[in-house]
Amino acid sequence: MAALNRKVVITCAVTGAIHTPSMSPHIPITADQIIADALGAAEAGAAILHLHARDQENGRPDQTPEGFGRFLSRIKQQTKAAINITTGGSPFMRVEERVKPAEHFKPEVASLNMGSINFGLFHLLDRYKEFKFDWEPQFLESTRDLVFRNSFKDIEYILETCYNNNTRFEFECYDIAHLYNLKHFLDRGLVKPPLFVQSVFGILGGIGTHQEDVMHMKRTADRLFGDQYRWSVLGAGASQMRIAAMAASMGGNVRVGLEDSLWAGPGKLATSNAQQVRLVRSIIEGMGLEIATADEAREILSLKGADQVNF
């Protein structure tokens, strides 16, 4: 297991609910596009696929089981990668809506946000002036007055809803306080190790992207959880690969994908999720490290296996 834990698990977040369709022609919107990008990312080396659904016509976030049902089984049939279903959905959704797909499909992994934060995307209006759909600028502007609610009651609700499904969680921690929130749930016995801690850097309202922020997050998690957790990072926007490289050099795992960043270099839009996976894989292997296969990731994170999901 010690040798296995030195391998780097790559998660790919394929589409998300942050970037709107006008920001890049390469964001997967339809079920067929999500399937193609997910499979490409897995082939490139992603062991875990973190998935959101979108409205097929206008690209809005879609957190209905029907939306996920369009692609989940088709992806599962064609890859060994573990599938991770979001319970974050969109910051504008109630927790009862956000948990529905994970409750219904019983995935190996589901994301779980570990605290409430201001969640600002309004600054992107300065970068994009033309939009394909009327909802996009309204969506971005409304985040000026948005708190992404993840109260203790909300977190308990998701844990209790999914507890009997043997779904494990990608605990998304946008700030140091979220690590302490997770420790609270660990102390109460509501979550069990190994904890899969995903540190999120660069969202306006959360922790920043300075190297000291990354090290502070790691030091705090080490102190709170010791050997009871597996650390992963995602860097938003232009910080994606730099923070991934830092984490890999510190013994961590990485997450990339068009949910987190649209870029494949300065001023260069990524043309697919697979392109970002290949970029981060080259960084990891350039350090003399190995990436984990899907089955190795299952062992590292104690996942239940693809034969025990409901899709």
Side-chain angles (χ1 to χ4, degrees):
M1 179 58 77
L4 194 59
N5 283 335
R6 286 196 291 270
K7 293 196 174 185
V8 180
V9 176
I10 299 176
T11 296
C12 184
V14 174
T15 186
I18 294 176
H19 297 119
T20 69
S22 298
M23 295 179 182
S24 171
H26 307 297
I27 299 173
I29 300 296
T30 68
D32 287 344
Q33 290 169 344
I34 291 171
I35 291 165
D37 251 47
L39 295 177
E43 184 177 356
I48 299 174
L49 300 170
H50 173 108
L51 300 177
H52 287 243
R54 289 181 180 256
D55 184 287
Q56 303 281 283
E57 301 299 325
N58 61 25
R60 278 181 179 270
D62 178 359
Q63 198 65 8
T64 63
E66 293 77 15
F68 283 81
R70 296 186 182 101
F71 53 76
L72 284 178
S73 62
R74 293 166 63 190
I75 293 173
K76 179 192 170 189
Q77 290 165 7
Q78 298 178 71
T79 181
K80 291 184 178 181
I83 292 177
N84 174 338
I85 294 178
T86 179
T87 70
S90 167
F92 295 94
M93 297 175 180
R94 293 178 56 82
V95 67
E96 294 84 0
E97 180 182 4
R98 288 160 41 194
V99 78
K100 283 294 183 185
E103 177 184 15
H104 178 78
F105 291 110
K106 302 175 173 57
E108 293 186 78
V109 192
S111 65
L112 178 53
N113 297 329
M114 289 312 297
S116 301
I117 60 166
N118 293 335
F119 201 94
L121 304 172
F122 57 90
H123 57 289
L124 296 176
L125 287 166
D126 296 334
R127 186 178 302 167
Y128 302 97
K129 300 302 182 184
E130 296 182 3
F131 295 93
K132 297 178 182 178
F133 302 104
D134 291 342
W135 71 267
E136 296 179 74
Q138 297 168 5
F139 167 80
L140 296 173
E141 175 57 35
S142 64
T143 67
R144 195 181 299 271
D145 189 32
L146 174 67
V147 176
F148 189 4
R149 174 186 162 129
N150 295 282
S151 68
F152 288 108
K153 183 178 179 180
D154 292 341
I155 295 168
E156 288 173 357
Y157 178 79
I158 292 174
L159 290 172
E160 291 167 0
T161 299
C162 297
Y163 186 80
N164 291 326
N165 297 343
N166 292 320
T167 295
R168 296 191 68 84
F169 291 95
E170 173 196 21
F171 296 107
E172 298 197 357
C173 297
Y174 292 75
D175 218 332
I176 297 298
H178 295 181
L179 295 175
Y180 283 91
N181 293 349
L182 179 56
K183 182 63 162 58
H184 165 80
F185 286 104
L186 179 64
D187 290 344
R188 290 174 58 191
L190 294 180
V191 299
K192 298 178 181 179
L195 307 174
F196 183 27
V197 176
Q198 189 73 257
S199 295
V200 182
F201 300 92
I203 294 294
L204 183 59
I207 198 168
T209 62
H210 193 275
Q211 63 190 31
E212 291 292 339
D213 295 321
V214 179
M215 291 188 286
H216 182 36
M217 186 75 83
K218 179 65 162 58
R219 285 193 299 265
T220 305
D222 283 345
R223 176 166 47 81
L224 292 177
F225 307 120
D227 63 359
Q228 293 184 298
Y229 86 110
R230 304 292 176 262
W231 188 50
S232 183
V233 303
L234 71 90
S239 300
Q240 184 184 65
M241 295 298 165
R242 177 176 58 82
I243 288 177
M246 284 189 63
S249 71
M250 297 163 68
N253 305 288
V254 302
R255 177 173 132 176
V256 295
L258 294 179
E259 172 175 353
D260 305 330
S261 174
L262 298 176
W263 307 100
K268 181 181 178 183
L269 286 173
T271 58
S272 69
N273 282 278
Q275 183 181 18
Q276 290 187 348
V277 173
R278 287 192 293 269
L279 282 170
V280 82
R281 180 174 183 170
S282 69
I283 292 170
I284 293 164
E285 293 178 340
M287 294 179 178
L289 302 170
E290 294 181 78
I291 66 167
T293 67
D295 286 340
E296 288 170 338
R298 288 183 171 94
E299 188 172 352
I300 291 167
L301 300 174
S302 298
L303 305 185
K304 64 183 179 179
D307 59 332
Q308 298 181 52
V309 300
N310 188 34
F311 56 90

